[in-house]
Amino acid sequence: MVLKELAVILALLAIPPFLGYYATFIATMAIIFASYTLPWLYMEKEAGWLSLGNSIAFGLAAYSLAIDARLLPLSIAVSVGIVFALSFAGRPLFPFATFVCSLAFWQASHHIVIGGSGGEEGFSYASLPLNLAFLSAAVLFLSGYLLFRALSSSSFGLKVNATRDDEIAARGVGINPVSVRLAVFAISITFSALSGIIYLLYFGHVSPDVFSPVVALFPFIASILAGKRWISPLLGSYFIVVATNALAAILPEFHYLIYAAALAAFPLLRRIRDAAETV
Amino acid sequence: MISEIVSVLIFSAFTVCILLCYKVCRLLNLSFGSIFALGAHLATVSPLLSLLAGSIAGIALHRATRSLKLPEATIVSLGFGLGIEEAIRLTFRGSQYIVLPAEIVRIVGEAIYAATLAAGVISAAFIVSLLAVLNSGIGLKLRFVEENSELAELYGIDTESARLLILTVTSALICLLGATAGTVQAIHPAMGWPYLTFSVIAATPANLFGRHRYAAAVLVNVACLLWF
């Protein structure tokens, strides 16, 4: 099963460069968003924390690098701190607390102006040649895939699963749920930040849109559409990015329709998936 | 000063609507931003149309979320909002970032857009009437639904109708506020997000004040005005 999954991933990562410039361009975008979705999936699937605020780490890392690379560690620490603090709102409210926080960053980022640049236009940065950007994104995704798979089957992964299923019982067997949560958030947020860095290096530009609802909701939508296996981030991202670009001429901002349909159908899809798992 | 007071009233009404939906309808209504943008776009046709459109949106959202728990209902409301936003984008394709002509009036020597003033008056009227209603017999029933919806239903209160009423009224109000904003600022499909974001953030501390949360919503907005 794992080998089959790996073969599909390698095919999806290896084929686009042979299909020409445009296919590589689209695939790079899809793989960057898949790399951004992977740590989200780890947080949701393994630890049971559904975050709609990983865009904070993604965007802050890109902004920090574009403004001053020395700000990067601070941006990651701030992102982890924010998401961790919001987790004290409890699991049911956590998705909405993180989502509203990411919206606040979206609004605030319009007012970041340094040395005459920034604002709505954002910041420019040196971009990588397409092939190199594609390779960087592919390596990031593949390493993330292997890392999160390894983490999920490690002894640390068992602790994470135990706190997800029952925090009180986990405490009873000597696990500190708060430390485990902080560790999971730190890993997930740091990886989201790395994907934000690749995003900046690919586009050579970062604007307030990195904090927009489209980016904040992307991992959640990808998981609704493609499920929660480790290959799902790549499949979901490919679907959203390819469909959006293919239909852009007929329906501008087509991803909004995908998002709206997926969110509206979420309760129904979840029930169907739960029923299938029970059977 | 008049402009600031009007802004506080508009944001307070938005915050109160968020709180009402959260407490009575068990839903963090994330579609309000898009309903606001819908109202603004409908102002290019007729501002009154926004009342009808907002009511219909509220009824539709009620039907879509009535059997769902808070997290699922909230997610559906977000999808509903994004759907409205895309519908606006497709319908008003040629009119993004349009500016409509607006009347200016003078109050106590201060110039203010007539539509903004109207939005302030509508918001104030809504908040005052809500506070009055909450102290009446109907208000007691609403508070009962807020505290314990299942128990209220057992005592014969029609919680379904209360939910429908709140969603319809708040959506219509937000759409109408959007229509007034649409006549004084550049309109685009995503224009409601800042209002939604700020109101949800303001609603969080206001909700800590228990049964005084609606009055607290106004105070939180006043505090924000003084802070900024």
Side-chain angles (χ1 to χ4, degrees):
Chain A
M1 185 66 185
V2 179
L3 283 177
K4 262 187 197 168
E5 212 174 80
L6 205 55
V8 175
I9 289 172
L10 288 174
L12 286 171
L13 296 181
I15 293 170
F18 298 102
L19 299 177
Y21 184 89
Y22 186 66
T24 314
F25 176 80
I26 298 294
T28 309
M29 199 153 41
I31 296 165
I32 289 171
F33 278 104
S35 306
Y36 163 63
T37 306
L38 253 182
W40 175 91
L41 182 66
Y42 176 66
M43 223 163 125
E44 206 274 334
K45 181 180 170 179
E46 297 296 313
W49 290 94
L50 197 163
S51 164
L52 297 180
N54 278 23
S55 59
I56 297 170
F58 184 82
L60 270 186
Y63 259 89
S64 303
L65 185 59
I67 294 167
D68 185 343
R70 286 171 295 181
L71 292 171
L72 258 177
L74 180 67
S75 79
I76 294 172
V78 167
S79 307
V80 174
I82 289 171
V83 176
F84 183 62
L86 292 174
S87 71
F88 289 96
R91 281 177 207 262
L93 286 179
F94 183 67
F96 312 116
T98 48
F99 182 61
V100 172
C101 192
S102 72
L103 292 182
F105 268 90
W106 183 36
Q107 303 304 327
S109 60
H110 287 83
H111 303 285
I112 302 173
V113 180
I114 295 168
S117 53
E120 288 195 9
E121 292 293 316
F123 295 90
S124 293
Y125 196 73
S127 62
L128 292 174
L130 181 61
N131 283 339
L132 194 53
F134 177 82
L135 196 63
S136 310
V139 168
L140 181 69
F141 178 81
L142 205 56
S143 45
Y145 173 80
L146 296 172
L147 169 75
F148 290 117
R149 273 210 95 109
L151 276 175
S152 71
S153 53
S154 67
S155 60
F156 174 70
L158 290 175
K159 286 181 185 172
V160 172
N161 294 160
T163 55
R164 175 197 61 195
D165 295 339
D166 191 335
E167 287 205 1
I168 296 166
R171 213 182 282 272
V173 292
I175 299 167
N176 183 345
V178 180
S179 316
V180 169
R181 189 196 312 165
L182 182 60
V184 168
F185 285 6
I187 295 166
S188 173
I189 294 295
T190 305
F191 206 87
S192 299
L194 291 179
S195 55
I197 292 169
I198 298 292
Y199 173 89
L200 175 69
L201 293 174
Y202 173 51
F203 284 106
H205 185 81
V206 60
S207 70
D209 284 348
V210 287
F211 297 108
S212 69
V214 171
V215 178
L217 292 169
F218 189 95
F220 183 54
I221 303 295
S223 85
I224 292 175
L225 297 172
K228 287 184 186 172
R229 286 173 296 152
W230 291 110
I231 193 176
S232 302
L234 193 61
L235 299 178
S237 302
Y238 259 103
F239 174 74
I240 297 172
V241 172
V242 171
T244 302
N245 281 278
L247 294 166
I250 311 161
L251 286 169
E253 314 257 5
F254 178 69
H255 52 280
Y256 272 103
L257 279 184
I258 300 177
Y259 277 45
L263 290 169
F266 167 69
L268 181 69
L269 292 174
R270 188 156 87 166
R271 244 164 262 148
I272 292 170
R273 203 165 284 162
D274 287 351
E277 278 172 14
T278 311
V279 173
Chain B
M1 190 60 189
I2 300 290
S3 303
E4 282 83 358
I5 292 171
V6 167
S7 295
V8 164
L9 289 170
I10 294 169
F11 276 104
S12 298
F14 223 111
T15 310
V16 166
C17 288
I18 296 273
L19 283 169
L20 267 173
C21 286
Y22 182 68
K23 295 304 292 181
V24 179
C25 311
R26 306 272 176 253
L27 155 77
L28 178 59
N29 196 342
L30 296 177
S31 67
F32 275 156
S34 307
I35 291 174
F36 184 85
L38 175 67
H41 283 78
L42 289 175
T44 59
V45 186
S46 161
L48 284 178
L49 200 56
S50 61
L51 264 181
L52 180 67
S55 307
I56 292 170
I59 293 166
L61 188 59
H62 165 72
R63 293 188 71 86
T65 58
R66 63 181 163 183
S67 59
L68 302 176
K69 290 198 165 81
L70 188 141
E72 286 186 338
T74 303
I75 286 168
V76 170
S77 82
L78 183 59
F80 187 74
L82 290 177
I84 290 176
E85 206 175 306
E86 184 60 6
I88 294 170
R89 208 167 268 124
L90 293 172
T91 314
F92 295 87
R93 233 178 238 200
S95 58
Q96 288 189 1
Y97 291 97
I98 56 173
V99 181
L100 298 168
E103 296 268 336
I104 291 177
V105 292
R106 287 199 160 269
I107 293 186
V108 207
E110 192 179 322
I112 185 170
Y113 287 115
T116 308
L117 184 65
V121 172
I122 292 166
S123 303
F126 171 72
I127 295 166
V128 170
S129 356
L130 176 74
L131 293 176
V133 165
L134 285 174
N135 287 316
S136 68
I138 302 169
L140 281 176
K141 286 180 182 173
L142 267 185
R143 284 191 195 281
F144 196 4
V145 177
E146 280 185 0
E147 297 310 321
N148 193 330
S149 163
E150 286 83 8
L151 196 61
E153 199 156 347
L154 278 177
Y155 275 84
I157 295 172
D158 189 353
T159 54
E160 185 89 354
S161 298
R163 193 177 191 275
L164 174 64
L165 178 73
I166 294 296
L167 269 176
T168 310
V169 170
T170 53
S171 301
L173 177 76
I174 296 293
C175 207
L176 187 61
L177 290 179
T180 59
T183 57
V184 296
Q185 56 178 268
I187 58 174
H188 55 96
M191 66 184 288
W193 286 102
Y195 289 87
L196 176 73
T197 310
F198 184 81
S199 303
V200 174
I201 292 171
T204 309
N207 192 36
L208 300 175
F209 286 83
R211 62 191 293 265
H212 301 295
R213 61 179 67 87
Y214 302 111
V218 182
L219 293 178
V220 168
N221 279 285
V222 171
C224 289
L225 171 76
L226 296 174
W227 180 266
F228 293 115

